[in-house]
């Protein structure tokens, strides 16, 4: 996994609420057996017409907005557990998703792929979204080490699990950690009362 | 202090507690399918790791398979490759596999319980969010991403933060025509699509206790549609009776011993939940959704609301525009051209019986395409042995072979753009059943009545 410490970038606003993983990557694009290439179909049905021509009014097709930070609406990533949602965002070039609320499984999947979910207050989110729309060149700083997001002199701190933070900063993942617990896991198995 | 059911099962699986609120949680059973496992197998191979406990895994293809002519090679190249990859990975790593044509094949969440793999007190995971289904047996079961699939393959464990606990109690007798699907659509409409996020739910109360195991599975299945990590129900005599004699369930003395343990798996009287809701079964009527998330549900006779509480009006309007509905209008009388009965929510034998019982001697409306997809080979065989296939076919329904099918439109079973589909599945997201498709979630009974009438009606006036 890539190391993650700080991202300074402009942002892409997508203020819809309840963006589910079927919108992020529709099921018919989950047929690949590798992790690569899902970015091409990120937000497929919002981004392209059925004849594959781009939908001009969708933000990813708007040259004005670019950057590594997606600024989305509340309850981002609800629905299916498909990790392809995190892969497609990362593959497209996003390193951070900002929202005021994240669905559980999506949040875990993002953290396991070097994509940082930054949960802010509703007020901060609407301020940030308005600032980007007013000036698409607005620079946003996401500092994982200090757990702080800032733009135009405004800032807010965000929560991140201490263990996952260490993993992101150093580029470790859970497999590295778990396979070193083999003897403890075997000891658990011997003592388990579960049928 | 008393413990909740959830806390009892969770505590029994903690291998190690870490600083910062994470637990190393042991996983008793791991179900895999073709879509979310190939990258996990590759990850393991890339690191030179082998499966830690292959005997605790079961595999079946379900998401990306045709539901017609399953005895023939899969036509679509990418789908065929994905299913072949599952077969090759299972052969190489010696994982138990129920491939196409195997008598145990089916939707992962249908076959787990029917084979006795799902047991009270177990922890179960699968790379699929509807793994919450297995909670109906008093198991802790939840969906995971592919990186976690690889973690379980490598260590039989996951690093997990302990969710908060919520109890949803439903008391009283159900009105005629009200099924488990209506109960859960009603609950989600009350709590919203994010109302359960961060929680593990226990469903309790006299209404829940009176439900069959299959109905309980429908309830737990949709816990994820409120954002909850999972849902569970305390095991009782109905649970033990369902499990006894199933293929992989404990037998004889081992079964008795297991039941003695399972009987301890309930929330203690003095247990405290982080959040509690109580509902009265008398308030629940046949439900239908009108929007693009499962929280957007109403009683079938009521009007589409003008807004969605504290949610953004812009998102609400966008959702209604997608569905082609107006705020404040009734859905009664809306023509419906597609009916889909299936998915891990409602594709079990009781669901098929409900549909067959209603449509017996009737004929679907001319405008309707009605598809019914059993959840497993065992469900399919049972339906045939009971003659349900004949009844359904005489009513103009097409009975397919088992799979996830039009629930997620990953195979060729799709609803055309702009068309309405009354579906017994679990998600009404934009494009879920095909690009541009408009999904209305409902019970198998509502779906059956809709198929016969060709439009949305007050089903309580049409009961047999």
């Amino acid at each position: 996994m890539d190391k993650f410490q700080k991202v300074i970038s402009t942002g892409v606003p997508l203020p819809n609420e309840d963006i589910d993983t079927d919108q992020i990557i529709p099921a018919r694009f989950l047929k690949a057996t590798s992790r690569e290439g899902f970015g091409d179909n990120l937000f497929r049905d919002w981004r392209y017409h059925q004849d594959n021509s781009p939908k001009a009014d969708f933000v990813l097709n708007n040259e004005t907005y670019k950057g590594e930070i997606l600024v989305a609406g509340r309850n981002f990533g609800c629905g299916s557990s498909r990790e392809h949602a995190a892969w497609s965002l990362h593959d497209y070039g996003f390193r951070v998703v900002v929202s005021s609320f994240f669905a559980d499984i999506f949040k875990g999947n993002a953290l396991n792929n070097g994509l940082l979910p930054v949960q802010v207050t509703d007020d901060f989110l609407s301020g940030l979204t308005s600032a980007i729309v007013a000036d698409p060149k607005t620079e946003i700083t996401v500092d994982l080490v200090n757990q702080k997001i800032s733009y135009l002199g405004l800032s807010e701190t965000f929560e991140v699990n201490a263990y996952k933070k260490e993993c992101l900063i150093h580029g470790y993942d859970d497999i590295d950690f778990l396979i070193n617990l083999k003897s403890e896991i075997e000891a658990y198995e011997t003592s388990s009362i579960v049928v | 202090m008393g413990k909740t059911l959830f806390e009892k099962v969770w505590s029994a699986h903690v291998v190690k507690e870490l600083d910062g609120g994470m637990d190393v949680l042991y996983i008793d059973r791991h179900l895999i399918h073709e879509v979310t496992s190939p990258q996990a197998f590759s990850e393991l191979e890339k690191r030179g790791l082998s499966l830690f406990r292959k005997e605790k895994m079961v595999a079946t293809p379900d998401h990306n398979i045709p539901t017609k002519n399953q005895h023939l090679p899969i036509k679509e190249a990418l789908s065929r490759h994905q299913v072949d990859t599952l077969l090759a990975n299972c052969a190489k790593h010696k994982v138990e596999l129920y491939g196409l044509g195997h008598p145990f094949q089916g939707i992962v969440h249908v076959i787990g319980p029917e084979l006795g793999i799902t047991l009270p007190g177990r922890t179960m995971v699968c790379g699929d969010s509807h793994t919450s289904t297995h909670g109906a047996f008093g198991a802790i079961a939840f969906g995971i991403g592919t990186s976690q699939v690889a973690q379980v393959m490598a260590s039989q464990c996951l690093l997990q933060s302990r969710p908060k606990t919520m109890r949803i109690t439903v008391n009283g007798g159900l009105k005629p025509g009200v099924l488990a699907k209506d109960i859960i659509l009603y609950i989600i409409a009350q709590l919203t699509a994010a109302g359960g996020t961060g929680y593990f739910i226990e469903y309790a109360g006299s209404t829940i206790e009176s439900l069959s195991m299959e109905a309980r599975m429908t309830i737990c299945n949709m816990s994820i549609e409120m954002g909850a990590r999972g849902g569970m129900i305390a095991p009782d005599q109905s649970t033990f009776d369902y499990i006894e004699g199933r293929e992989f369930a404990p037998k004889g003395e081992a079964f008795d011993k297991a039941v003695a343990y399972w009987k301890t798996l309930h929330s203690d009287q003095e247990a405290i939940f982080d959040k509690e809701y109580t509902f009265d079964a008398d308030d629940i009527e046949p439900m239908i959704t009108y929007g693009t998330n499962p929280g957007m549900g109403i009683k079938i006779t009521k009007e589409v609301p003008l807004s969605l509480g504290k949610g953004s009006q812009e998102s609400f309007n966008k959702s209604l525009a997608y569905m082609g509905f107006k705020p404040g209008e009734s859905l009664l009388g809306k023509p419906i051209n597609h009916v889909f009965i299936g998915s891990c929510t409602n594709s079990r034998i009781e669901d098929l019986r409900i549909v067959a019982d209603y449509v017996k001697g009737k004929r679907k409306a001319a405008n309707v395409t009605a598809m019914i997809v059993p959840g497993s080979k065992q469900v399919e065989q049972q339906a045939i042995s009971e003659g349900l296939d004949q009844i359904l076919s005489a009513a103009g329904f097409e009975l397919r072979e088992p799979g996830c099918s039009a629930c997620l439109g990953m195979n060729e079973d799709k609803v055309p753009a702009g068309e309405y589909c009354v579906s017994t599945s679990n998600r009404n997201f934009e494009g879920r059943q095909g690009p541009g498709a408009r999904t209305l979630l409902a019970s198998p009974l509502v779906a059956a009545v809709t198929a016969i009438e060709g439009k949305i009606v007050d089903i309580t006036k049409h009961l047999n």
Side-chain angles (χ1 to χ4, degrees):
Chain A
M1 196 168 75
D2 299 342
K3 292 181 185 177
F4 189 115
Q5 293 181 347
K6 188 189 263 191
V7 167
I8 301 171
S9 168
T10 49
V12 177
L14 187 59
N16 308 45
E17 294 187 345
D18 301 316
I19 295 177
D20 58 75
T21 52
D22 276 84
Q23 306 318 312
I24 300 172
I25 179 96
R28 64 187 190 279
F29 298 109
L30 307 184
K31 297 183 182 185
T33 52
S34 72
R35 286 177 183 239
E36 290 77 34
F38 288 101
D40 293 344
N41 292 312
L42 174 67
F43 294 116
R44 179 77 199 194
D45 293 335
W46 287 354
R47 199 167 145 200
Y48 297 104
H49 293 287
Q50 285 208 50
D51 65 3
N52 297 330
S53 61
K55 292 184 177 177
D57 60 349
F58 186 62
V59 70
L60 293 192
N61 296 324
N62 183 342
E63 287 292 314
T64 317
Y65 300 108
K66 286 197 180 316
E68 298 182 352
I69 301 173
L70 181 69
V71 181
R74 192 175 171 76
N75 197 26
F76 186 84
C78 57
S80 146
S81 63
R82 61 189 69 163
E83 192 161 316
H84 312 68
W87 299 339
S88 58
L89 287 159
H90 192 273
D91 191 50
Y92 182 85
F94 289 116
R95 294 293 171 270
V96 176
V97 182
V98 184
S99 175
S100 56
F101 198 79
F102 286 95
D104 246 4
I105 304 179
F106 174 80
K107 196 194 308 188
N109 287 341
L111 289 167
N112 283 335
N113 286 281
L115 177 71
L116 184 67
V118 173
Q119 185 162 325
V120 296
T121 59
D122 283 314
D123 286 347
F124 188 86
L125 182 65
S126 73
L128 175 60
T129 307
S130 306
I132 301 169
V133 173
D135 179 8
K137 295 199 166 56
T138 303
E139 194 176 83
I140 309 162
T141 302
V142 176
D143 177 353
L144 175 61
V145 179
N146 294 302
Q147 295 178 222
K148 191 169 153 186
I149 175 168
S150 46
Y151 72 99
L152 300 178
L154 299 166
S155 68
E156 202 169 274
T157 54
F158 58 86
E159 294 290 317
V160 58
N161 175 278
Y163 163 80
K164 295 310 288 185
K165 178 177 170 179
E166 281 304 300
C167 286
L168 282 166
I169 289 173
H170 299 289
Y172 303 150
D173 64 28
D174 292 356
I175 293 190
D176 300 328
F177 181 87
L178 289 168
I179 56 176
N180 286 317
L181 293 180
K182 201 176 161 200
S183 57
E184 286 167 81
I185 296 168
E186 284 170 344
Y188 166 85
E189 287 177 322
T190 322
S191 66
S192 173
I193 50 162
V194 180
V195 178
Chain B
M1 199 178 83
K3 279 179 143 189
T4 65
L5 164 63
F6 171 80
E7 287 160 348
K8 287 179 183 178
V9 180
W10 183 280
S11 311
H13 289 86
V14 175
V15 173
K16 187 183 175 120
E17 284 180 39
L18 306 181
D19 297 337
M22 298 280 263
D23 289 339
V24 176
L25 193 72
Y26 192 81
I27 303 302
D28 294 315
R29 286 295 180 276
H30 185 194
L31 307 171
I32 63 168
H33 61 84
E34 74 278 25
V35 179
T36 58
S37 68
Q39 293 89 347
F41 278 111
S42 310
E43 185 69 31
L44 240 60
E45 283 170 15
K46 197 174 86 188
R47 294 170 189 244
L49 297 169
S50 53
L51 298 183
F52 184 64
R53 294 288 180 255
K54 62 178 186 301
E55 65 280 7
K56 292 181 186 269
M57 292 173 66
V58 174
T60 196
D62 56 1
H63 281 64
N64 191 11
I65 54 171
T67 55
K68 258 183 181 174
N69 294 323
Q70 290 184 346
H71 61 289
L72 298 176
I74 299 173
K75 279 190 204 155
E76 215 256 328
L78 283 174
S79 303
R80 187 173 64 244
H81 177 66
Q82 200 171 46
V83 172
D84 285 349
T85 303
L86 178 73
L87 267 53
N89 280 328
C90 289
K92 186 172 175 187
H93 295 272
K94 300 190 169 48
V95 174
E96 181 87 351
L97 167 83
Y98 307 131
L100 288 180
H102 191 286
F104 293 166
Q105 182 271 334
I107 303 175
V108 273
H109 312 311
V110 176
I111 70 167
E114 76 183 6
L115 292 172
I117 295 166
T118 306
L119 296 179
R122 276 188 171 168
T123 46
M124 297 182 65
V125 294
C126 175
D128 187 275
S129 59
H130 293 109
T131 308
S132 58
T133 312
H134 309 269
F137 292 78
I140 287 183
F142 54 92
I144 57 176
T146 297
S147 295
Q148 293 172 307
V149 170
Q151 291 159 25
V152 180
M153 285 175 172
S155 69
Q156 207 56 38
C157 288
L158 281 175
L159 275 163
Q160 288 283 299
S161 57
R162 185 183 290 224
K164 291 180 280 187
T165 55
M166 178 189 289
R167 179 162 58 190
I168 297 177
T169 305
V170 189
N171 287 318
L174 290 169
K175 289 179 176 173
V178 175
L179 303 179
K181 184 62 164 287
D182 301 303
I183 301 175
I184 192 63
L185 285 175
Y186 174 84
I187 292 172
I188 302 169
Q190 305 297 311
L191 269 69
T192 79
T197 306
Y199 291 89
F200 215 98
I201 299 172
E202 178 179 344
Y203 301 95
S206 63
T207 315
I208 304 294
E209 288 162 20
S210 72
L211 297 175
S212 70
M213 291 313 296
E214 296 194 1
R216 293 180 194 186
M217 286 185 236
T218 300
I219 302 257
C220 289
N221 172 276
M222 289 191 73
S223 304
I224 182 70
E225 310 312 334
M226 292 177 267
R229 194 85 68 88
M232 64 200 304
I233 295 170
D236 60 12
Q237 197 57 46
S238 303
T239 320
F240 312 145
D241 291 346
Y242 178 98
I243 294 168
E244 191 168 14
R246 293 197 177 257
E247 187 77 18
F248 299 111
K251 306 276 182 331
E253 219 174 289
F255 180 76
D256 298 337
K257 208 176 140 203
V259 169
Y261 170 58
W262 296 341
K263 284 184 173 170
T264 68
L265 300 176
H266 54 80
S267 289
D268 297 328
Q269 283 248 305
E270 61 277 32
I272 295 169
F273 291 80
D274 295 305
K275 209 166 213 174
E276 292 233 40
Y277 291 94
T278 302
F279 299 107
D280 188 346
D282 207 38
D283 290 335
I284 307 176
E285 289 175 21
M287 298 284 294
I288 197 155
T289 63
Y290 62 88
T292 55
N293 76 54
M296 301 172 85
I298 47 173
K299 294 174 181 175
I300 202 164
T301 53
K302 295 283 183 259
E303 293 78 35
V304 173
L306 302 175
S307 67
L308 195 60
K310 61 177 185 177
S312 113
Q313 192 65 30
E314 200 183 330
S315 296
F316 180 78
N317 294 344
K318 186 174 169 287
S319 176
L320 286 198
Y322 180 84
M323 292 301 293
F325 295 146
K326 294 183 197 70
E329 75 170 336
S330 167
L331 299 185
L332 296 178
K334 294 266 180 203
I336 300 293
N337 292 342
H338 297 267
V339 168
F340 171 66
I341 295 158
S343 88
C344 55
T345 314
N346 284 118
S347 64
R348 298 178 180 82
I349 192 65
E350 288 177 9
D351 300 312
L352 271 59
R353 285 181 191 140
I354 286 165
V355 175
D357 181 58
Y358 183 77
V359 306
K360 190 173 185 175
K362 300 186 179 83
R363 180 80 195 165
K364 73 167 181 68
N367 60 311
V368 170
T369 303
M371 184 159 75
I372 184 157
V373 186
S376 70
K377 284 311 268 188
Q378 291 206 51
V379 171
E380 182 188 38
Q381 288 310 308
Q382 181 68 27
I384 292 169
S385 74
E386 293 179 20
L388 306 186
D389 56 329
Q390 301 298 323
I391 296 171
L392 292 165
S393 148
F397 283 63
E398 191 182 356
L399 182 65
R400 295 290 191 92
E401 292 170 277
C404 299
S405 183
C407 170
L408 81 166
M410 211 177 153
N411 69 356
E412 47 280 282
D413 304 341
K414 289 183 176 67
V415 176
E419 293 277 324
Y420 291 109
C421 179
V422 168
S423 175
T424 67
S425 55
N426 39 56
R427 289 189 174 135
N428 49 355
F429 297 152
E430 281 182 37
R432 171 82 177 178
Q433 297 194 288
R438 294 159 158 174
T439 303
L440 294 86
L441 303 175
S443 77
L445 182 58
V446 169
V449 178
T450 307
I452 301 299
E453 300 299 323
K455 59 186 178 188
I456 299 174
V457 296
D458 176 3
I459 69 144
T460 60
K461 295 189 176 130
H462 292 260
L463 298 178
N464 287 346

